Amino acid sequence: MSGPIRRPGSENATRPVGGTEYSWCRAVPGGTGITVIALLLRQPPDMRNLQNALEKLHNYHPILRSKLRFDAPTNTFSFLTLPPLAASHVQIQTFNSSSTAEILRSTDDLSGEPHRIILEHELNNNTWTDPERWIDGEASVFFVSLYDLGDGECDSRRCVVTFRLHTAACDRTAAVTLLRDFLEAVTAEGDGGAAEEKAEEISPAIEDLIPTGKANKPFWARGMDVLGYSLNALRFSNLDFVEAESPKESQVVRMQMNRDETRKLVASLLLHECDGRGMKLWAAIAAAGMISAHSSKNLPEKQREKYAVVTLMDCRPILEPPLISKDFGFYHSGILHTHDLTEEETLWDLAERLNSSFTTLKNSDKHFTDMPDLNFLMCKAIENPRLTPSSSLRTALISVFEDPVFDASTGQVLRDKGVEDYLGCSSVHGVGPSIAVFDTMRDGCLDCMCVYPSPLHSRDQMQGLVQSMKAILLDT
């Protein structure tokens, strides 16, 4: 339990982090849980307008102006929220064209999109590496950078704006809201816009909002489940590791489908409903990832392997009281489920099994009852990496979201605001899956950011896996 918010004599407000937030505070120093949004702009923004827009976001979303506070003697974390006036000036780190060019040259993918390379750079820029070295035991949760691409005339030179956040303060739903509020605020005149209204304090932790009775589990059952998760993890199969000893970083491969390809996939989803329940996109993506990984090993035809999938769901609508997308924080929960696979498996048979398994577990409130178990095991894996295969800290083959982000405004509306493209995802190289999929439906086109730990997996390996996934999804 995170407990109530305490208000000291000043206008600052503090509250201890909840259990899920604490697990992210433990994971981020190792490199998992850094959320980044990168916007490719047609030309540099007006700095005063940019500053005003960011200050509006600070006013509306208090967690953005919060600091994580670490207490070394007790090894605990809390959020310290500053009043709007005390945190009104947002620092923007700027990189000129020379500095940006050096970053773009440092990648092993010289043909990659520049804003995707900068996104990778930001995913591995870890402000939170060592809490014991934070200034006065505190660290901000929100950072903004501006990169000059230097690839055009002064009046049309492209640039990249990035937002980097601690995932304990911002899950995927909050990141999407942040992007939309920013675009509204940066184009608003005067003091209007989406961020005009002020919120005074951050929302409680997810554990404090679980409906009564939904998280109940007998002590013996919790112990058995933790033991079961631990023993089963030793039997999970993984995508082959390329280099398990070297320090890791997060890299990204992008999987895109055009409108016709997306329509074909959606039609297949509708055709393969599971017992009258709609087949969801995540199940098809996860099934394609499992089949691709299994096929890449060239195993005997009948050899069976067990793979773990984590399906993440936004719990805001089912909390008590319900929250909305403008309530910032981490309010997702994951359900871990495992499935056996052979070379004979077909996409839609496996997707139906995944979809049915998740639905059953969700109906049993596993996203609430197992939340402390999975948080505990995540922290134990961080403390004891040797408990995972090759000390890789891999806890599943793939993680996916129950629902994609739907964005019907990507086209002309964004172009009118000077945004050519945007990307968003979180890092995974500390502890987590071999591949984390962040999927978006943009103007009827599927766009997936696939994040993986390198050099545990190589770019060539993951590009091949993602290409295979796309081919499997469209081979219907």
Side-chain angles (χ1 to χ4, degrees):
M1 301 287 285
S2 64
I5 293 176
R6 294 188 297 104
R7 296 187 178 279
S10 66
E11 296 183 36
N12 297 344
T14 63
R15 77 156 171 83
V17 300
T20 300
E21 294 165 341
Y22 177 76
S23 68
W24 285 118
C25 290
R26 294 290 310 279
V28 168
T32 290
I34 301 169
T35 298
V36 177
I37 304 170
L39 294 87
L40 177 63
L41 305 183
R42 189 163 51 245
Q43 60 186 18
D46 178 86
M47 292 302 290
R48 178 175 294 182
N49 194 21
L50 176 60
Q51 189 76 52
N52 288 340
L54 294 172
E55 289 175 6
K56 289 177 184 178
L57 294 177
H58 260 197
N59 287 342
Y60 190 82
H61 302 295
I63 203 165
L64 297 182
R65 64 176 186 266
S66 298
K67 292 183 179 292
L68 269 177
R69 173 175 284 176
F70 176 66
D71 182 56
T74 59
N75 195 34
T76 57
F77 295 86
S78 59
F79 284 111
L80 169 67
T81 306
L82 305 177
L85 293 178
S88 61
H89 186 71
V90 182
Q91 295 291 331
I92 303 173
Q93 187 175 9
T94 60
F95 296 82
N96 61 26
S97 57
S98 297
S99 300
T100 303
E102 185 175 346
I103 292 170
L104 297 179
R105 287 192 298 266
S106 66
T107 181
D108 63 350
D109 185 17
L110 298 178
S111 62
E113 301 164 301
H115 55 307
R116 201 267 305 149
I117 297 171
I118 290 172
L119 176 82
E120 282 188 2
H121 172 75
E122 285 282 324
L123 288 174
N124 297 292
N125 185 1
N126 195 343
T127 307
W128 307 279
T129 301
D130 187 356
E132 294 188 356
R133 295 188 179 182
W134 291 354
I135 299 176
D136 296 327
E138 297 174 357
S140 298
V141 300
F142 179 43
F143 297 88
V144 182
S145 298
L146 177 62
Y147 294 83
D148 183 352
L149 293 179
D151 55 0
E153 300 298 329
C154 292
D155 61 350
S156 62
R157 190 173 63 239
R158 295 190 304 169
C159 68
V160 178
V161 173
T162 63
F163 302 145
R164 176 163 41 90
L165 304 106
H166 194 294
T167 296
C170 182
D171 59 12
R172 188 180 68 154
T173 298
V176 172
T177 301
L178 172 63
L179 172 61
R180 292 171 178 166
D181 282 357
F182 170 74
L183 292 175
E184 291 182 24
V186 81
T187 56
E189 296 181 0
D191 294 326
E196 182 178 14
E197 182 182 349
K198 293 180 175 63
E200 296 302 325
E201 59 188 40
I202 63 176
S203 300
I206 186 173
E207 289 82 1
D208 296 332
L209 301 175
I210 296 175
T212 303
K214 290 289 187 179
N216 291 348
K217 181 190 286 189
F219 177 79
W220 65 267
R222 190 168 303 282
M224 290 298 294
D225 282 350
V226 169
L227 180 62
Y229 278 130
S230 301
L231 294 177
N232 281 333
L234 300 176
R235 301 163 54 201
F236 293 163
S237 297
N238 292 278
L239 185 65
D240 288 341
F241 300 147
V242 176
E243 173 53 72
E245 301 298 328
S246 301
K248 302 177 185 64
E249 63 178 20
S250 287
Q251 293 186 345
V252 180
V253 171
R254 193 174 187 180
M255 181 177 74
Q256 293 176 285
M257 293 185 185
N258 61 33
R259 191 162 296 179
D260 288 340
E261 291 170 334
T262 304
R263 284 173 179 166
K264 181 179 180 181
L265 176 58
V266 172
S268 296
L269 288 172
L270 295 175
L271 182 64
H272 292 86
E273 289 192 350
C274 184
D275 296 328
R277 297 171 294 194
M279 173 72 72
K280 289 206 169 186
L281 177 62
W282 74 263
I285 291 175
M290 293 169 64
I291 292 172
S292 298
H294 190 76
S295 298
S296 69
K297 298 182 178 183
N298 297 314
L299 298 171
E301 184 176 349
K302 300 293 184 179
Q303 183 165 333
R304 183 178 299 272
E305 291 196 310
K306 184 181 293 291
Y307 292 92
V309 177
V310 175
T311 307
L312 296 159
M313 55 181 290
D314 184 4
C315 295
R316 283 173 175 80
I318 56 176
L319 296 176
E320 199 173 79
L323 301 181
I324 60 175
S325 62
K326 288 185 179 292
D327 292 308
F328 273 31
F330 192 88
Y331 296 105
H332 277 69
S333 182
I335 292 180
L336 176 68
H337 45 125
T338 63
H339 301 270
D340 292 336
L341 186 65
T342 67
E343 196 68 29
E344 300 173 327
E345 197 78 58
T346 64
L347 171 68
W348 294 111
D349 285 345
L350 178 57
E352 287 178 4
R353 280 204 283 131
L354 290 167
N355 200 84
S356 178
S357 170
F358 172 76
T359 301
T360 300
L361 294 171
K362 180 180 175 180
N363 290 340
S364 300
D365 295 322
K366 278 286 189 178
H367 48 294
F368 288 143
T369 60
D370 287 13
M371 187 184 298
D373 304 342
L374 295 179
N375 289 336
F376 173 78
L377 290 172
M378 182 176 181
C379 291
K380 285 301 178 185
I382 294 168
E383 294 171 2
N384 304 280
R386 292 184 179 180
L387 297 178
T388 61
S390 303
S391 299
S392 63
L393 291 174
R394 293 312 97 195
T395 55
L397 171 68
I398 189 169
S399 69
V400 284
F401 289 87
E402 180 185 15
D403 295 301
V405 172
F406 288 94
D407 191 345
S409 64
T410 308
Q412 190 60 45
V413 175
L414 286 182
R415 286 192 290 273
D416 289 344
K417 296 180 179 182
V419 181
E420 293 187 8
D421 194 14
Y422 70 90
L423 308 172
C425 58
S426 299
S427 60
V428 298
H429 59 274
V431 59
S434 284
I435 180 171
V437 180
F438 296 79
D439 53 339
T440 303
M441 283 288 189
R442 304 190 191 185
D443 286 342
C445 299
L446 179 62
D447 191 348
C448 298
M449 303 298 294
C450 303
V451 192
Y452 63 94
S454 172
L456 187 70
H457 303 298
S458 70
R459 195 180 300 277
D460 286 344
Q461 179 189 26
M462 297 307 294
Q463 286 175 336
L465 181 80
V466 169
Q467 290 171 3
S468 174
M469 288 172 60
K470 180 176 178 179
I472 292 169
L473 288 168
L474 295 176
D475 185 20
T476 55

